[in-house]
């Protein structure tokens, strides 16, 4: 492995650009294949840069000239949203037919149809545009940053502000922010699967490669969009945005995101209705033609039927639901980076989480320093202080909470006085140790090692017999324990892992991190949502099991990092399904566990806040971090909890499921009432000498109905609908349509009999009566369909849904009496009709309630049955990764 093991010292004076950097036009960068085949000096010369990076002024100039380091834009384009509203072929065909009708003399009907179509488009555009603006606002709250050297010192900048010539730092778990030619690296490995499809990490070095090497062979470069799997490094940016290898691929896929399971269900449902509409409209058109009705009138009527059965506002309902969901989640302290993450949250059925700060208080306190016999000894505390990674005066301790707690001991500063650290070997998750070479006040050098007890004990000689029972007792009590050992250092001037041998056990440092008081309740809430919780921790397995027992987490098997390493992927998938605790795990172990659980078809979320959690966050279906997490963890996450609380996460999951449940309400409405009404229209057109409803009236009915349903995203959802992830089931929707659609048609035919047999209606009166009845029944049926419970008594709708639904019915009743009645083809209805209407509506809702109870009482597929394993393609990962390289302006 190439590298010195330390980062280079970059002096502020070295940041002054050379003559090349003062040119009026900065370089556009160097193709990564060429940069990998050249020496560092050649690449820096072509970039007009130095190992100390750029000045801030030069970086801004290059950014203005070359554009942002972005492959996606979240700029809201009104024309694009409008284009999606006009994409319906049926709508455009109906508009064309209305124009033809206008020029052939049917001008009033044509204008009415045109106005209604316009209102429908405006309604859909307004709601979807508002949702897009909400998504844009969401993007503006999310930042992805990189550590870059500018003006001679490190600073964080947005990844989209990187330019060729910038010098960036690379650390474990970080997404490489651009194509980078390495200047320094220590044990650097990158997961390049998003580009190459290979699962094994690639070792990186400084040596140039042969010209023409394949992308997977560019070992001297770190590639944009890949993940730092191990080690660290420093490199010069050679290509950004669409000029980077990842950027070219992402741009080639276009802006269209891969379909989620939710979107696939929507598409299949739309195709189902499209087939039904095609059969109905073709049949209606043929029948009306055979009956020698005007060809244009028959065409308009058939197309209006097709538009009526199509859920035109379904995309707007979904977008509005997601946008409203993101706002509700923010109010509940959950920030999602993309709207689709809300769907992922709702789909969650396995949560893998760390222990510290999630199940425990996260406030680690130092309790005692014990020798191997269990007696308190200051010498053990002193050695522990000497092996911390910060300064020996207790300042600049870094991110290790155990070291921080240790230095808060009352005698810490006094004990460490007079000692001088000569060298240090930082903690890493493979060794699970840290070591320091220290000179004591008397001048004698000593090597001190501390870390996981099993790792320290394995490197010790002559371990006292009392050590094992003392350690077991500490673990059984749920204490966190760090073992400390030392030996004379002799002539050592620096230290490596090979020097951590021949140690003598000094004793144990004992820390406390008690369980959270509300963690047990949060775990019960997650269990009530059908979510299996698994613990992934670097702590001792006995300690993790004790915390789980104290909190009532169901006991399962325990796997250690050593157990995981001994299993292949297939056996790990089987073992992980039965395990509750994964202990003493490395970052790669965590990622393997997540991938194994996903391979069984489960939807897996990972909650973590440390650098060592980043690999697992990337591997999960949805990565979840917290606002207090390390930057690398927050950057890797899809959702950020503003409070590290499983109860907050439970709220997020419930919100995702509410959105799905409310969207399904709209779908079931469309399949029951829309299908029933259009089926009735088809039947009536066969029996009547006139059209049962004018095309403009069908479209107006559909517009009013859809307007009322836009409030469905505000509706309450019954508790039982949140207990497990819900998935699209087209066969269920088809069965629902075939049962509830005819029930709706039954009352339409009853209305036909009343209008013809009781009121002896002519065409205008017939159409007015059926318009009011069909609008009332299909709008009010939402109160029965929205719940499996008894409506109103055991399940109350939201106020906006109630007001909107009743308001739509009121408008429908008023239209035949309005000044626009004649233009729309309506005539006033007799008072007796409304008595009949009230009776029919009440009877209809009672019938629907009976059909609903019978329908849902039939056996269904057990919820416990797992879906087939999801096979997400490389394109899905590219799109997901590309989201972090997004900005609000146009791409250059």
């Amino acid at each position: 492995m190439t590298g010195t093991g330390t980062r280079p010292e970059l002096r502020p004076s070295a940041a002054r650009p050379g003559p090349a950097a003062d040119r009026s036009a900065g370089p556009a960068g160097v193709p990564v294949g060429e940069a990998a085949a050249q020496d560092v000096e050649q690449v820096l010369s072509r970039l007009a840069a130095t190992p100390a990076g750029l000045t801030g002024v030069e970086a801004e100039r290059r950014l203005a000239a070359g554009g942002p380091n972005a492959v996606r834009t979240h700029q809201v384009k009104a024309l694009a949203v409008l284009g999606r509203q006009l994409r319906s072929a049926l709508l455009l065909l109906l508009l064309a037919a209305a124009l033809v009708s206008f020029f052939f003399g049917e001008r009033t009907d044509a204008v009415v149809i045109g106005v209604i179509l316009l209102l429908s488009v405006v309604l859909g555009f307004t709601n979807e545009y508002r949702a897009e603006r909400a998504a844009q606002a969401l993007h503006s709250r999310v930042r992805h940053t990189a550590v870059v050297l500018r003006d001679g010192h490190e600073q964080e900048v947005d990844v989209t502000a990187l330019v060729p010539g910038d010098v960036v730092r690379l650390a474990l778990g970080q997404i490489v922010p651009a194509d980078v030619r390495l200047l320094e690296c220590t044990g650097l490995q990158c997961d390049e699967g998003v580009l190459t499809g290979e699962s094994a990490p690639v070792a990186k070095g400084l040596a140039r490669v042969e010209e023409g090497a394949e992308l997977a062979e560019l070992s001297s470069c770190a590639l944009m969009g890949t993940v730092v799997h191990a080690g660290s490094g420093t490199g010069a940016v050679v290509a950004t945005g669409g000029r980077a290898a990842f950027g070219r691929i992402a741009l080639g896929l276009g802006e269209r995101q891969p379909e989620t399971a939710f979107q696939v269900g929507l598409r299949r449902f739309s195709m189902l209705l499209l087939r039904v509409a095609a059969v109905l409209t073709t049949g209606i058109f043929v029948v009306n033609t055979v009956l020698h009705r005007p060809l244009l009138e028959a065409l308009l009527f058939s197309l209006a039927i097709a538009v009526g059965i199509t859920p035109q506002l379904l995309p707007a309902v979904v977008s509005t639901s997601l946008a409203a969901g993101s706002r509700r989640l923010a109010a509940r302290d959950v920030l999602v980076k993309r709207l689709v993450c809300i769907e992922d949250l709702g789909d969650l059925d396995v949560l893998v989480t760390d222990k510290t700060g999630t199940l425990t208080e996260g406030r680690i306190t130092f309790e005692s320093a014990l020798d191997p016999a269990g007696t308190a000894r200051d010498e053990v505390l002193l050695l522990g202080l000497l092996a911390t990674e910060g300064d020996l005066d207790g300042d600049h301790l870094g991110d290790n909470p155990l070291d921080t707690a240790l230095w808060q001991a009352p005698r810490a500063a006094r004990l460490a006085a007079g000692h001088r650290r000569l060298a240090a070997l930082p903690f890493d998750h493979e060794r699970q140790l840290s070591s320091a070479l220290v000179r004591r006040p008397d001048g004698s050098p000593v090597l001190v090692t501390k870390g996981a007890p099993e790792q320290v004990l394995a490197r010790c000689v002559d371990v006292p017999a009392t050590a094992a029972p003392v350690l077991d007792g500490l673990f059984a009590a749920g204490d966190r324990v760090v073992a400390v050992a030392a030996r004379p250092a002799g002539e050592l001037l620096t230290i490596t892992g090979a020097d951590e041998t021949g140690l003598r056990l000094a004793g144990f440092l004992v820390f406390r991190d008690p369980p959270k008081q509300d963690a047990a309740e949060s775990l019960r809430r997650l269990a009530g949502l059908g979510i299996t919780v698994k613990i992934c921790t670097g702590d001792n397995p006995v300690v993790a099991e004790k915390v789980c027992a104290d909190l009532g987490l169901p006991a399962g098997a325990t796997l250690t990092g050593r157990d995981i390493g001994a299993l292949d992927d297939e056996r790990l998938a089987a073992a992980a399904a039965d395990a509750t605790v994964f202990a003493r795990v490395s970052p790669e172990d965590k990622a393997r566990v997540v991938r194994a659980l996903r391979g069984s078809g489960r939807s897996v979320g990972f909650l973590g806040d440390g650098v060592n959690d980043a690999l697992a966050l990337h591997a999960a279906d949805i990565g979840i971090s917290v606002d207090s997490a390390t930057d690398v963890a927050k950057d890797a996450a899809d959702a950020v909890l503003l409070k590290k609380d499983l109860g907050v996460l439970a709220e997020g999951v419930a919100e995702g499921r509410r959105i799905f449940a409310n969207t399904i309400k709209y779908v079931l409405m469309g399949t029951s009432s829309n299908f029933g009404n259009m089926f009735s229209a088809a039947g009536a057109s066969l029996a009547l000498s006139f059209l049962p409803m004018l095309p403009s009236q069908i479209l107006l009915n559909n517009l009013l109905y859809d307007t009322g349903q836009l409030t469905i995203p505000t509706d309450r959802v019954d508790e039982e609908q949140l207990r497990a992830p819900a998935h699209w089931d087209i066969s269920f929707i088809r069965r629902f349509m075939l049962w509830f659609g005819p029930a709706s048609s039954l009352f339409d035919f009853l209305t036909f009999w009343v209008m013809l047999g009781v009121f002896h209606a002519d065409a205008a009166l017939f159409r007015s009566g059926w318009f009011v009845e069909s609008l009332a029944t299909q709008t009010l049926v939402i109160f029965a369909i929205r719940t499996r419970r008894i409506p109103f008594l055991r399940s109350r709708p939201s106020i906006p849904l109630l007001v909107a639904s009743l308001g739509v019915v009121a408008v429908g009743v008023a239209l035949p009496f309005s000044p626009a009645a004649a233009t729309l083809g309506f005539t006033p209805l007799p008072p007796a009709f409304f008595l009949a209407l009230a009776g029919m509506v009440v009877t209809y809702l009672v019938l629907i309630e009976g059909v609903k109870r019978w329908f849902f009482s039939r056996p269904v597929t057990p919820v416990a049955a797992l879906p087939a394993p999801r096979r997400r393609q490389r394109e899905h990962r590219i799109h997901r990764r590309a989201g972090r390289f997004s900005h609000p302006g146009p791409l250059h």
Side-chain angles (χ1 to χ4, degrees):
M1 185 66 60
T2 304
T4 62
T6 59
R7 293 196 313 201
E9 287 293 329
L10 301 178
R11 309 284 182 186
S13 60
R16 291 193 299 270
D22 292 326
R23 299 180 209 165
S24 60
V30 180
V32 69
E34 294 181 21
Q38 294 177 350
D39 291 328
V40 168
E41 293 77 10
Q42 291 176 278
V43 174
L44 290 175
S45 176
R46 293 183 63 181
L47 292 170
T50 74
L54 305 172
T55 65
V57 173
E58 174 65 11
E60 289 181 8
R61 188 187 65 77
R62 295 189 183 193
L63 182 64
N69 179 33
V71 295
R72 293 284 185 269
T73 175
H74 52 264
Q75 186 179 36
V76 178
K77 298 177 180 178
L79 288 178
V81 177
L82 182 60
R84 287 197 291 272
Q85 308 307 311
L86 300 173
R87 201 172 292 166
S88 168
L90 284 174
L91 187 148
L92 293 176
L93 190 58
L94 185 59
L95 181 60
L99 290 174
V100 172
S101 178
F102 179 86
F103 287 109
F104 276 86
E106 301 292 335
R107 297 190 173 185
T108 301
D109 286 347
V111 169
V112 170
I113 290 172
V115 170
I116 293 171
L117 287 177
L118 178 63
L119 290 174
S120 179
V121 169
V122 168
L123 184 64
F125 168 80
T126 302
N127 282 275
E128 196 164 340
Y129 185 70
R130 287 176 58 193
E132 291 271 355
R133 291 294 298 271
Q136 183 183 41
L138 188 63
H139 273 285
S140 67
R141 296 184 60 182
V142 177
R143 283 193 71 211
H144 296 287
T145 61
V147 177
V148 62
L149 192 67
R150 287 186 183 168
D151 296 317
H153 61 271
E154 291 183 358
Q155 55 184 281
E156 283 190 357
V157 301
D158 196 287
V159 293
T160 61
L162 289 178
V163 296
D166 268 327
V167 173
V168 297
R169 304 294 197 194
L170 303 177
L172 176 68
Q174 181 183 351
I175 298 289
V176 178
D179 281 352
V180 171
R181 177 57 164 97
L182 294 170
L183 306 178
E184 295 284 342
C185 65
T186 302
L188 183 64
Q189 296 180 11
C190 291
D191 178 353
E192 298 181 347
V194 71
L195 293 176
T196 64
E198 297 294 330
S199 58
V202 178
K204 298 295 181 179
L206 303 185
R208 65 182 187 180
V209 301
E210 294 184 4
E211 291 187 13
E214 298 292 332
L215 193 64
E217 299 170 350
L218 304 182
S219 59
S220 60
C221 289
L223 303 175
M224 178 183 182
T226 63
V227 181
V228 178
H229 184 272
S232 60
T234 301
V237 173
V238 297
T240 59
R243 292 180 288 272
F246 174 83
R248 289 194 298 273
I249 295 172
L251 290 175
L253 293 178
E255 287 281 349
R256 184 177 178 83
Q257 296 288 323
E259 290 183 314
T260 64
F262 187 82
Q263 291 165 327
V264 169
L266 284 178
R267 177 170 52 78
R268 290 177 178 171
F269 168 68
S270 297
M271 290 302 296
L272 169 66
L273 286 188
L274 189 61
R275 287 193 292 269
V276 173
V279 172
L280 276 178
T281 53
T282 302
I284 291 170
F285 179 71
V286 169
V287 167
N288 279 275
T289 303
V290 169
L291 294 176
H292 303 294
R293 289 174 182 161
L295 186 64
L296 192 58
E297 183 182 84
L299 177 62
L300 285 170
F301 181 73
S302 301
L303 291 176
I305 291 286
V307 171
I309 201 173
T310 305
Q312 297 175 68
L313 292 187
L314 184 56
V317 168
V318 174
S319 299
T320 303
S321 294
L322 292 175
S326 72
R327 291 191 292 269
R328 286 194 293 269
L329 285 177
R332 290 175 170 84
D333 296 320
V334 181
L335 173 63
V336 292
K337 294 184 177 181
R338 298 167 296 131
L339 288 181
V340 74
C341 295
I342 301 175
E343 298 172 17
D344 294 333
L345 272 174
D347 215 24
L348 188 67
D349 57 8
V350 175
L351 174 67
V352 182
T353 178
D354 62 356
K355 175 174 65 70
T356 304
T358 305
L359 301 181
T360 64
E361 291 290 346
R363 295 192 296 269
I364 298 175
T365 57
F366 171 67
E367 292 290 306
S368 59
L370 308 177
D371 66 14
T375 304
R377 299 290 183 191
D378 281 350
E379 176 67 10
V380 179
L381 173 58
L382 169 60
L383 292 174
L385 293 168
L386 297 180
T388 54
E389 296 183 23
D391 297 340
L392 289 186
D393 58 4
D395 295 332
H396 309 295
L397 293 177
D399 298 325
N400 191 322
L402 296 177
D403 286 351
T404 301
L406 203 59
W407 277 100
Q408 290 172 349
R411 301 178 303 281
R414 179 173 59 83
L415 288 172
H419 292 77
R420 186 164 65 91
R421 185 179 295 136
L422 304 176
L425 193 60
F427 179 87
D428 70 59
H429 295 278
E430 297 298 328
R431 292 166 39 252
Q432 297 179 341
L433 301 170
S434 64
S435 293
L437 179 61
V438 180
R439 189 176 300 281
R440 289 183 180 273
D442 62 7
S444 60
V446 61
L447 173 65
V448 184
T449 297
K450 70 180 178 71
E454 52 269 37
Q455 298 295 337
V456 173
L457 291 172
R459 290 163 171 78
C460 289
V461 296
D462 300 329
V463 178
T466 57
V470 168
L471 187 59
D472 290 343
L474 293 172
F475 284 151
D479 293 326
R480 296 189 67 170
V481 183
V482 173
V484 183
R487 70 172 175 86
E491 301 299 321
L492 286 177
L493 298 177
T494 186
I495 51 176
T496 66
D499 298 314
E500 297 171 330
T501 58
L503 304 169
R504 290 192 176 274
L505 181 66
F508 307 110
L509 302 170
V510 184
F511 301 85
R512 289 284 292 167
D513 185 16
K516 278 186 175 180
Q517 293 184 352
D518 59 354
E521 175 59 28
S522 296
L523 289 172
R524 282 193 289 271
R525 288 185 64 189
L526 290 172
L529 293 169
I531 297 173
T532 302
V533 177
K534 298 177 183 289
I535 308 303
C536 228
T537 178
D539 209 344
N540 180 272
V542 178
V543 175
E545 290 169 352
K546 175 69 163 55
V547 171
C548 291
D550 289 344
L551 295 175
L553 189 65
T558 297
L559 295 178
T560 64
R562 183 174 299 178
D563 298 330
I564 293 170
L567 299 173
D568 59 25
D569 290 345
E570 184 176 348
R571 290 191 295 161
L572 177 59
D578 297 327
T580 298
V581 173
F582 305 91
R584 293 293 192 218
V585 287
S586 68
E588 173 56 26
D589 292 334
K590 294 180 181 182
R592 281 196 68 204
V593 166
V594 169
R595 287 193 293 266
L597 291 168
R598 286 182 60 199
S600 64
R602 311 300 296 272
S603 181
V604 181
F606 184 88
L607 172 59
D609 63 356
V611 172
N612 56 319
D613 296 319
L615 297 181
L617 288 167
H618 288 303
D621 288 303
I622 180 163
I624 307 160
S625 193
V626 294
D627 197 38
S628 59
T630 61
D631 290 340
V632 172
K634 285 195 290 188
D635 189 70
D638 301 298
V640 177
L641 309 182
L642 303 183
K643 296 178 182 177
K644 192 169 186 179
D645 183 355
L646 290 179
V648 173
L649 177 59
E651 286 289 342
V653 173
E655 187 60 44
R657 294 183 184 174
R658 287 188 193 102
I659 289 171
F660 187 93
N662 281 335
T663 304
I664 288 296
K665 291 175 187 177
Y666 180 87
V667 169
L668 295 182
M669 286 270 297
T671 55
S672 60
S673 55
N674 278 21
F675 173 72
N677 284 339
M678 297 309 104
F679 183 77
S680 302
S685 65
L686 297 177
L688 299 174
S689 60
F690 52 85
L691 290 179
M693 203 181 291
L694 295 175
S696 59
Q697 293 169 342
I698 293 175
L699 295 175
L700 179 60
N701 186 295
N702 192 53
L703 176 64
L704 290 172
Y705 161 78
D706 276 338
T707 302
Q709 303 321 301
L710 282 173
T711 56
I712 283 180
T714 69
D715 194 27
R716 299 183 178 95
V717 174
D718 297 336
E719 182 182 348
E720 58 267 24
Q721 292 179 273
L722 306 178
R723 290 176 183 166
H727 303 283
W728 282 93
D729 186 345
I730 295 300
S731 62
F732 168 83
I733 294 173
R734 188 184 299 114
R735 291 196 307 273
F736 195 95
M737 180 172 66
L738 293 176
W739 279 100
F740 287 81
S744 174
S745 291
L746 179 64
F747 279 82
D748 287 334
F749 291 131
L750 179 60
T751 302
F752 299 163
W753 178 82
V754 169
M755 297 307 299
L756 295 174
V758 177
F759 296 106
H760 308 289
D762 58 9
L765 185 61
F766 182 94
R767 290 163 182 162
S768 301
W770 187 38
F771 178 91
V772 172
E773 182 271 338
S774 65
L775 185 61
T777 53
Q778 73 173 341
T779 301
L780 297 178
V781 77
I782 182 62
F783 299 118
I785 288 176
R786 58 172 294 277
T787 178
R788 297 189 184 188
R789 301 177 180 180
I790 299 173
F792 294 103
L793 297 179
R794 297 190 58 203
S795 179
R796 291 182 296 111
S798 69
I799 298 299
L801 178 61
L802 181 64
V803 171
S805 299
L806 295 180
V808 164
V809 173
V811 170
V813 170
L815 275 175
F817 302 94
S818 71
T823 302
L824 294 172
F826 294 131
T827 190
L829 290 160
F833 168 80
F834 293 101
L835 292 175
L837 175 65
M840 286 189 292
V841 168
V842 170
T843 307
Y844 171 65
L845 295 179
V846 170
L847 174 65
I848 289 296
E849 188 66 23
V851 173
K852 181 183 74 175
R853 289 184 172 279
W854 177 86
F855 183 85
F856 287 116
S857 68
R858 302 176 66 195
V860 295
T861 304
V863 174
L866 293 178
R870 283 181 286 187
R871 305 298 181 197
R872 285 180 166 166
Q873 303 300 317
R874 188 167 64 97
E875 287 75 10
H876 180 276
R877 288 179 289 161
I878 291 172
H879 274 293
R880 180 177 176 182
R881 195 67 49 82
R884 70 185 52 244
F885 301 101
S886 171
H887 79 130
L891 302 177
H892 279 233

